[in-house]
Amino acid sequence: MRERSGLVLIPLVLVTALGAAAVTATLRFPTIPPPTTRTVTVQATPDVLRAVQDLARLETVAFHMERVVDLRETQTHAWGLVEAQDAILLVAVGEVVAGVDLSALRPEDVRHDAAAGRVDLTLPRATVFSARLDTGRTYVYRRDTDALARRQEHLETLARQEAERSIEAAARSQGILATAERNAARTLTGLLHAMAIREVRITWR
């Protein structure tokens, strides 16, 4: 019986020793973490801001205008006793372009609620980007210089400048800025919907 008990104890001692060795190995050689780890943080608002700012000067409407400019310069001679005129009649055709300058957008103008899928935009007001004449379609219809008048070569330049001012004023009076803002809001809403934004709310400064 003693011999059998001795034989039984030998395996138990071996198992115990192996277990202790495993524990010791575990304690001496802990699991080594990977050499590098990466943490990704998504900042949604800057992405939306950059996407909108990339449009820069968003031209949203162009008005084609026609104006007739009658410009006259009166000259006096003989101590004011005689008057003479140098006149030009200009038929002007031009284009007025308006839109929104999105490069002026500030970070605080964009509020993105990623959980709700909503973006609130505060945009700068629309402005006229350009008012220029179509040189190919603008022409002098009539040029009259009285016999006693001195022909002024700069008169056509003045008439063209007045035509540009006139077509811009006409475009403003016909609501070009309001149209530009409506079109800008529609364009930006479509852009943000394509970026998986469900709700877009736009206000103006």
Side-chain angles (χ1 to χ4, degrees), residues 9-27:
L9 288 174
I10 291 172
L12 290 175
V13 171
L14 290 174
V15 170
T16 304
L18 290 174
V23 171
T24 302
T26 302
L27 293 175

Side-chain angles (χ1 to χ4, degrees), residues 35 40 49 61 78 88 93 99-100 103 152 202:
V40 179
L49 177 62
V61 63
I88 186 172
V93 179
V100 179
S103 64
Q152 301 296 328
I202 294 177

Side-chain angles (χ1 to χ4, degrees), residues 49-190:
L49 177 62
R50 283 193 294 272
V52 175
Q53 283 182 326
D54 282 346
L55 297 176
R57 284 165 54 110
L58 180 60
E59 297 182 357
T60 58
V61 63
F63 277 18
H64 296 274
M65 315 291 295
E66 293 186 13
R67 278 291 180 271
V68 176
V69 178
D70 187 357
L71 191 62
R72 298 172 181 269
E73 182 181 274
T74 300
Q75 305 171 9
T76 59
H77 302 280
W79 300 279
L81 298 177
V82 178
E83 287 189 350
Q85 284 189 338
D86 185 22
I88 186 172
L89 190 65
L90 182 75
V91 178
V93 179
E95 180 183 71
V96 183
V97 177
V100 179
D101 185 5
L102 297 176
S103 64
L105 209 61
R106 304 165 300 188
E108 59 268 26
D109 292 331
V110 181
R111 296 175 298 282
H112 183 195
D113 186 341
R118 184 180 69 244
V119 166
D120 294 278
L121 284 177
T122 302
L123 300 177
R125 305 302 305 219
T127 185
V128 172
F129 289 147
S130 64
R132 52 180 175 265
L133 298 182
D134 183 343
T135 56
R137 299 173 63 192
T138 298
Y139 61 95
V140 176
Y141 180 76
R142 189 175 66 242
R143 188 77 159 87
D144 295 324
T145 305
D146 291 344
L148 296 178
R150 179 179 298 174
R151 189 181 182 92
Q152 301 296 328
E153 299 301 333
H154 68 279
L155 208 61
E156 182 176 346
T157 299
L158 293 177
R160 288 178 178 272
Q161 291 173 349
E162 174 60 23
E164 289 182 350
R165 187 206 63 78
S166 177
I167 64 173
E168 179 177 344
R172 288 178 180 273
S173 68
Q174 294 182 22
I176 190 172
L177 296 181
T179 303
E181 290 183 355
R182 285 197 303 270
N183 292 349
R186 184 165 58 247
T187 299
L188 292 173
T189 298

